[in-house]
Amino acid sequence: MTALLELDNLHVFHGASQALFGVSLQVREGQAVALMGRNGMGKSTTIATACRMLPLRAGTVRLAGRDITTLPSYRAARLGLGLVPEGRRCFAPLTVTENLIAAARPGPWTLARVQAFFPRLSERARQLAGTLSGGEQQMLAIGRALMTNPRLLLLDEATEGLAPVIRTEIWTAITRLKSEGLSLLLVDKTLSEILPLADHCVILERGKVAWQGGPTALTPDLTTTYLGV
Amino acid sequence: MDNTRKEWMLNALIAGVLLAVPLWAWLANEPFIITLATRIAILAIAGVGLNIALGLGGMVSFGHALYLGVGGYVAGIAAHHAFHGTPILGLSGTNQMLPIWAMAMLLSGALAGIVGALSLRTSGIFFIMITLAFAQMGFFFTLSWPAYGGEDGLPIFVRNQFPGLNTARPWEFFLIVYGVLMLALALFATLRAARFGAALMAIRQNPDRAAAIGISPFGIKLVAFILSGMITGLAGAMMADLTRFVSPAMIAWTMSGEMIVIIILGGVGRLFGPVAGAAILVGFEVFFGGLTEHWKLWLGLVLLAVVLFARGGLIGLIAGRAHHG
């Protein structure tokens, strides 16, 4: 399998303070990579940097072998990076359909297919996104990313703050996406939900990759040390 | 009844009244009323143009009178050369509306492209000031352009012509303007319902978030700004034909302000907002202008009330919150 996304030696700053210290990781075609770590360890910064929403001080971002380090975020999205941001961040004053068609790019994921994938989005088509429940907004955020016809879906805390029944629904949807061959980079703190899906795990600690390996190699000692569980 | 249905019914009512009143005036031989309705329709076309930039894209252009003026001067200059039989840049002038409209839209669109490319790199108060600065440059340029009247302006002795209709008759000229207004509204509705409109509204909400889903904020806003300038330029050409006169006053900052007032009064981003806003503005000018020379004071109070209590303008007040899609 070839590397779809390659982050190489990322050094990223938030103002004067350094957030990432040489982070490197890879997501291969069809693979689901879990990016883990406690709060403030650099997970969201890594995702935002991969999507070219944050500038790099040093390092390289490659997508399917192409250097996208200096590209603006909209070009990175068009090349296949589909971001589902933390906190959903739907366009609240726009309807569900407007949120979806705003992101539309040519490819197999059409409005009809996204609405069939999440029937709730079809039922709420003309409702303003700001009036949806948290779970529905999450479906909309995933649906919106799918409308860009991504090669890699980056999900930052996809189920944070949602009711258990809705979390299950969202994880079922993500599992279906993986089974359809979509590559995934997942950030989540709930190991019981993320590990069954992950092919590879990366743990961040204070802006550095502290450990990486297969999910079966993740011992209780490691989770206690780095994830506090 | 949901808000969308209510708004469509209100839109149909406004479109019907705007056609029925001049029709009655034509039958009753009241050409002044037809001229008023034509003025409302032309200002509404200009408003539809600005509504693409301001209403959908959140671009508060305080210099849209520039494009109105470009359209106006294209009509005026073409008619001037046609009337006097003198060439312009090796070409003869024309008194035909269709080529004049095409040229007005082309030039105002090109100018909007230049202004947009430079000003859209800024936002907020800086964007407002840069658009105003460009319009003021246009204003002072026409003021010191003696070949076309300078500050005295340029008369159009005979209204330009439209195939198959007698534009000298107010009712027939109104029908042309009304038809163009309906086309402009149809274009606005189509743009708003398409990916382009959704992307533009997404950028207005949050450009960084829009960029993260593959939308180029600068590119989409520039296209919207150019389209906006083209439609406003078309309105300018018609305005020149209505008044049979163009002058630097068409490009004055007060005209840009009036266009924004039209949008706010009618409803920012609402399909028929510019029509309702233009009707309110012209209505105030005619009815209160006859009573007092300080009619703009009363208009100001209405504007204040709209901003404070009816953010959706007249359309929003009657039809409720926007529920597009």
Side-chain angles (χ1 to χ4, degrees), chain B residues 2 51 55-56 64 72 74-75 88 97 127 134 138 172 184 207 209 212 214 243 245 249 254 273 276 288 302:
Chain B
D2 73 0
N51 212 17
L56 296 183
H64 251 54
V74 165
I88 174 172
M97 282 185 185
F127 179 78
F134 275 109
E172 293 186 33
R209 216 181 292 168
T243 56
F245 180 69
T254 47
F288 290 93
V302 170

Side-chain angles (χ1 to χ4, degrees), chain A residues 72-156:
Chain A
S73 56
Y74 76 88
R75 294 274 308 277
R78 288 179 185 181
L79 288 171
L81 290 180
L83 175 67
V84 181
E86 188 179 8
R88 277 78 79 175
R89 309 214 177 149
C90 299
F91 299 109
L94 273 63
T95 64
V96 168
T97 304
E98 284 167 349
N99 265 271
L100 293 173
I101 61 169
R105 306 282 310 163
W109 284 99
T110 59
L111 180 64
R113 187 173 170 200
V114 168
Q115 286 178 331
F117 191 78
F118 288 122
R120 204 84 64 89
L121 298 183
S122 179
E123 292 160 22
R124 302 271 189 262
R126 299 186 61 208
Q127 198 169 321
L128 297 182
T131 64
L132 298 176
S133 69
E136 287 165 346
Q137 285 194 21
Q138 190 59 59
M139 291 174 197
L140 180 56
I142 297 172
R144 191 180 60 180
L146 290 173
M147 288 293 288
T148 67
N149 277 287
R151 299 179 70 179
L152 170 69
L153 200 60
L154 302 98
L155 296 115
D156 194 356

